[in-house]
Amino acid sequence: MKKLLAAFLAASAIALGGTSMADARELRIAPAAPPPHPANGVMYTNFAKYLPEESDGRLTATMLGPEVVNLGQMKDALQSQIAEVGNLLPLYFPADLPMMSVTGQLSLTGTNSQAMGAALTEFVVNCTPCQEEMKSLNFVFLGSGASDVYEFLTTKPIHNADDLKGLRLRSGGAPWARFAEHFGATPVQMSVFDQFEAMNSGTIDGTMASIADMLSFRLVEVAKYVTYAPLGLYFSTSNFTVSKATWDELSTEDRAAMVRAANRANADFTNRWGSTMPGEAEAASREAGVEFIEADPEFVEEIEQFIQDDIETAGTYSQEQFGIEDAPDQIQQFLALVEKWTAIAEEENNDPVAMSKRVYDEVWSKVDYATYGQ
């Protein structure tokens, strides 16, 4: 790990966001996603642009590609400071981040991308156990974002519950695994980077994922069907996770500047992943001959009933798996925030600039950056 860091530092010379200030602090940032994915092409690219804007040139960034730090390596990369700011997914590390993973158990309930990202941001900033978990790993949380509603992207057609039986489907976490098992499918846990080859080889029959993955991970080349069904969305994210060693080196003013840059980029990311990219992915898929299916109404009703029943299961799961006794209460607190932010997102027409401002006003403007993360 030390050799990798030394080699990277020796090779890195170009800062994204450009500044001529000799004393600018250049941060190593890691989106853990390929360039087509909105985490790289929008979230971290925009973050690198916003950093010097918000800090008057004092902060800049160099981006590490997924070949240097991928999602599964992110915890170690941040702790070793190969990356100083990284895209951390709590569902990848539930044993280390059990309280933060509680909200991830509710992934199937999500319907509005901007609302879910904002709700999780407010929840984690004000959740003492979540903050303690981050501190125990020497991390600092700077906000969340969300995908569009997940669909079935498969090599076999899915119209109803019977079509799911016996299929092997990649699952992005425990909620989708419970869903698959309930309907007779076999959930397969694998890296998002491995799903292309697994579908191509027939190891799995598909994935439950954002249609944006058709472009982000080239699934348009292997998937034959997209079935529209309400499978929740991915919002269990810590988009900008800062190494505490780096955070401690920054002035209060620069911490606030980093938060402002991250907050803007979070909303941009969610707009890209949850709004603009799905349409582009659908168009590219149709051009490639992918067949689009609307799930049978009866199947949709069964899914919606499962989701409602699973809210209670999520609390029980969190109690049994992670020992979080007040998980049901935490879940209800989070769902109240979802209701609050859904109303705000609808009021703002999901506009990313407006949502960024609302999240800053409601959450980040109330934070004391001298003590946050300490």
Side-chain angles (χ1 to χ4, degrees):
M1 192 70 76
K2 291 181 179 178
K3 290 182 179 179
L4 177 59
L5 176 57
F8 173 75
L9 290 175
S12 298
I14 300 174
L16 298 176
T19 177
S20 60
M21 296 179 63
D23 58 348
R25 176 67 159 83
E26 184 179 86
L27 300 165
R28 297 182 297 279
I29 64 176
H37 194 282
N40 185 318
V42 172
M43 183 166 74
Y44 269 69
T45 295
N46 288 11
F47 179 59
K49 180 177 71 173
Y50 296 152
L51 272 173
E53 293 178 8
E54 294 291 349
S55 66
D56 294 326
R58 296 186 304 276
L59 299 176
T60 63
T62 292
M63 187 125 61
L64 311 183
E67 71 281 359
V68 179
V69 181
N70 64 38
L71 290 169
Q73 299 167 331
M74 187 57 69
K75 185 183 75 164
D76 290 341
L78 287 166
Q79 290 179 329
S80 65
Q81 285 203 287
I82 287 178
E84 295 177 283
V85 184
N87 179 21
L88 182 79
L89 302 184
L91 286 178
Y92 273 57
F93 309 101
D96 296 298
L97 297 165
M99 181 56 76
M100 289 186 68
S101 297
V102 167
T103 54
Q105 300 306 316
L106 299 171
S107 295
L108 293 171
T109 65
T111 58
N112 183 296
S113 305
Q114 291 286 358
M116 298 307 287
L120 187 57
T121 296
E122 181 169 1
F123 180 83
V124 174
V125 168
N126 296 295
C127 165
T128 298
C130 300
Q131 291 292 326
E132 290 300 324
E133 288 174 1
M134 294 295 276
K135 289 176 189 177
S136 71
L137 296 174
N138 289 316
F139 296 159
V140 179
F141 170 84
L142 299 189
S144 298
S147 72
D148 62 318
V149 174
Y150 270 25
E151 319 291 354
F152 295 111
L153 316 179
T154 58
T155 57
K156 298 177 182 178
I158 297 174
H159 296 86
N160 51 48
D162 287 340
D163 291 338
L164 270 183
K165 293 177 180 176
L167 295 187
R168 291 175 57 81
L169 299 174
R170 177 190 175 271
S171 158
W176 291 283
R178 293 194 297 269
F179 171 87
E181 290 173 344
H182 177 81
F183 286 100
T186 299
V188 178
Q189 303 292 335
M190 66 170 57
S191 167
V192 69
F193 293 97
D194 296 331
Q195 60 185 348
F196 177 94
E197 184 54 41
M199 287 178 67
N200 190 45
S201 65
T203 303
I204 61 173
D205 300 301
T207 182
M208 296 170 283
S210 162
I211 193 174
D213 281 12
M214 299 293 269
L215 298 180
S216 297
F217 299 103
R218 298 172 34 236
L219 298 189
V220 68
E221 299 175 21
V222 292
K224 299 182 184 302
Y225 303 92
V226 171
T227 299
Y228 285 125
L231 303 181
L233 44 79
Y234 205 106
F235 64 87
S236 183
T237 61
S238 178
N239 286 348
F240 298 102
T241 310
V242 185
S243 162
K244 189 174 182 299
T246 297
W247 185 255
D248 287 348
E249 292 175 359
L250 300 177
S251 67
T252 300
E253 184 179 13
D254 282 350
R255 291 176 187 175
M258 185 186 289
V259 165
R260 292 193 299 271
N263 185 54
R264 292 169 65 187
N266 280 329
D268 293 344
F269 162 71
T270 298
N271 184 61
R272 177 63 177 158
W273 199 11
S275 181
T276 64
M277 197 171 183
E280 296 171 12
E282 178 176 336
S285 300
R286 290 188 185 279
E287 185 175 350
V290 174
E291 181 179 338
F292 282 75
I293 300 169
E294 292 286 347
D296 290 352
E298 295 82 2
F299 184 30
V300 172
E301 290 180 6
E302 291 177 81
I303 292 173
E304 291 173 343
Q305 185 59 57
F306 171 82
I307 291 171
Q308 289 305 307
D309 294 342
D310 193 59
I311 292 174
E312 181 175 344
T313 301
T316 302
Y317 178 88
S318 298
Q319 288 175 320
E320 294 177 350
Q321 295 293 316
F322 307 131
I324 300 175
E325 293 301 322
D326 65 342
D329 292 336
Q330 296 286 349
I331 284 173
Q332 290 307 312
Q333 289 179 31
F334 176 71
L335 290 175
L337 288 173
V338 171
E339 184 176 353
K340 165 190 170 178
W341 282 103
T342 298
I344 292 173
E346 291 174 354
E347 177 186 334
E348 300 293 356
N349 199 29
N350 292 300
D351 178 76
V353 175
M355 286 300 294
S356 174
K357 184 178 186 306
R358 293 296 292 268
V359 173
Y360 185 81
D361 291 345
E362 292 279 335
V363 182
W364 295 114
S365 69
K366 302 174 184 178
V367 170
D368 177 0
Y369 296 106
T371 59
Y372 183 73
Q374 300 305 304

